[in-house]
Amino acid sequence: DGTDTEEIDAYLSKKDTETSSDVKGAAKGKNLILISLESTQQFVIGKEIGGKEVTPFLNDLIKESFYFPNFYHQTAQGKTSDAEFIIDNSLYPLSGGSVFVRRPDNEFYALPEILKEKGYYAASFHGNDREFWNREVMYKTLGYDRYFSKRDFNVTEQNSVNYGLKDIPFFQQSVPYLEELPQPFYAKFLTLTNHFPFLLNDEDKYIPEAETEEGVVNRYFTTVRYTDEALKQFFADLKEKGLYENSIFVLYGDHYGISKSYSEALGNVLNEEINPSRHVAMQKVPLIIHVPGMEGKKIDTVGGQIDLRPTILSLLGVDPEYNTLSFGTSLFAKDREERVIFRDGSFVTDKYVYTENTCYDKKTDEKVKRNKCTPYFSEVQKELGYSDKVILGDLLRFTGKK
Ligand code: GP9
Ligand code: MN
């Protein structure tokens, strides 16, 4: 009810660090192109397999982009849909199921709705069936004007693999649609090829597979490499069509691709032993924000998907008052609290990692006394609890700006 809203508002207002950013409004009025990189974890960046780069295009793009090497996914059972939900709403996912499936009738005040107030058009692109993750319904709730899904693309047996349309034809076929959108637009692209169990036709393998005892781990790097190629072609197409200069690009990994059960094989490829603290580090996903014309910069701040909406709004120069009931803070803000909270109550700070009821030193990954982590406990629980209240109590009915 209203009391909850006030209490949560009061808590969240203490987080606002917007004023200290120096890129605020740097991309005002530009198109926003968001690219969700299916199952892409940060360890592929700069990595080589058989002497070949796994992400040659991204490695180059990073040099001319804001790059956040300490950025984590925060998804739970809703996987891709959780990532979409977190980013558009700056709320945590639920601990069970997907908000897309469980709460499509809620009132939200999501990124598409916010940007539409600034004259934007919002569309999502994805080569799978439109009902998957209840997107067809939830996208309307979140304010998307148009969903380009499988039925909008030419999908054949030849140009698909695993869940659907391969990433290269997906981007190729999307460009003509993108050209027709009213500008400025917010366009979201969900890649698909790098999905478990990472299947690929031979002609799409640009690098050899890794050599461990787990096929899943071995194939993972080749499918990531394929998506990298798709991105390269997409950027080239956008430049040719004149859509590049007027746009900013936000590329992020949606969640892990290699689950805990493959830790041993993954550890072999990465030359390390993956203890619980390192397993948390494996939840880092790439975050690349590319603003044509702006110089590249590595930003080390610890953050997560929940911080993306305020980060994007800041860059686009949208007044923070539109960032209603937001649990994140702009990654560009200099005085932000460095912390990321996971759905299961694990968390990472600038110094510590807390997971499986154990506190670790982040630098050494060694166990440390529990009392190093206890000061964060109540805040972590409070934050997850408040976010749940917003979703389960449908609190944006009372507070969303319309
Ligand atoms: C399917 C795509 C992948 O449409 O979102 O689903 P995931 O299993 O990663 O949530
Ligand atoms: Mn996914």
Side-chain angles (χ1 to χ4, degrees), residues 38 78-80 126 128 132-133 135 163 192 195 254-255:
E38 177 58 43
K79 305 302 298 274
T80 310
H126 186 44
N128 195 357
F132 203 97
W133 282 129
R135 286 187 178 102
Y163 273 74
L192 192 52
H195 194 286
D254 63 349
H255 50 75

Side-chain angles (χ1 to χ4, degrees), residues 96-297:
S98 160
V99 186
F100 269 42
V101 176
R102 291 183 58 189
R103 290 283 157 168
D105 298 327
N106 264 27
E107 194 67 61
F108 289 107
Y109 188 54
L111 186 57
E113 294 172 283
I114 296 172
L115 291 179
K116 276 161 69 176
E117 289 196 31
K118 300 289 166 192
Y120 279 69
Y121 183 89
S124 182
F125 296 75
H126 186 44
N128 195 357
D129 298 313
R130 55 202 295 111
E131 298 80 22
F132 203 97
W133 282 129
N134 202 30
R135 286 187 178 102
E136 169 153 47
V137 177
M138 187 58 158
Y139 278 170
K140 290 206 179 95
T141 301
L142 298 178
Y144 287 92
D145 296 297
R146 178 78 160 91
Y147 179 22
F148 297 93
S149 66
K150 190 173 195 169
R151 71 175 191 200
D152 298 288
F153 298 102
N154 173 31
V155 183
T156 64
E157 203 167 309
Q158 271 198 335
N159 71 12
S160 7
V161 71
N162 206 355
Y163 273 74
L165 186 59
K166 295 194 239 178
D167 293 342
I168 290 179
F170 165 62
F171 281 122
Q172 266 168 0
Q173 293 185 33
S174 295
V175 172
Y177 287 130
L178 198 59
E179 283 185 271
E180 295 303 314
L181 294 189
Q183 296 193 33
F185 54 70
Y186 162 27
K188 171 160 71 178
F189 292 86
L190 306 174
T191 68
L192 192 52
T193 306
N194 186 45
H195 194 286
F196 185 89
F198 314 112
L199 308 176
L200 211 55
N201 308 73
D202 279 341
E203 72 264 22
D204 295 323
K205 292 179 181 162
Y206 296 88
I207 56 168
E209 293 181 1
E211 291 174 0
T212 74
E213 61 283 10
E214 297 287 0
V216 161
V217 173
N218 300 346
R219 291 191 299 274
Y220 179 74
F221 295 94
T222 55
T223 49
V224 171
R225 175 65 184 83
Y226 171 83
T227 300
D228 186 82
E229 194 67 23
L231 293 167
K232 178 181 163 185
Q233 294 184 19
F234 183 48
F235 272 71
D237 276 359
L238 294 178
K239 282 184 182 167
E240 197 191 300
K241 303 290 182 197
L243 284 169
Y244 168 81
E245 288 292 335
N246 279 332
S247 306
I248 67 163
F249 300 82
V250 177
L251 294 85
Y252 69 92
D254 63 349
H255 50 75
Y256 66 80
I258 304 296
S259 68
K260 205 171 193 170
S261 41
Y262 298 103
S263 280
E264 200 178 316
L266 179 61
N268 289 342
V269 186
L270 302 180
N271 290 316
E272 62 166 288
E273 208 166 305
I274 303 180
N275 75 353
S277 178
R278 289 302 299 160
H279 178 69
V280 172
M282 293 299 140
Q283 307 317 306
K284 288 184 189 180
V285 292
L287 172 62
I288 301 165
I289 300 182
H290 182 69
V291 183
M294 278 183 96
E295 251 173 59
K297 190 178 177 192

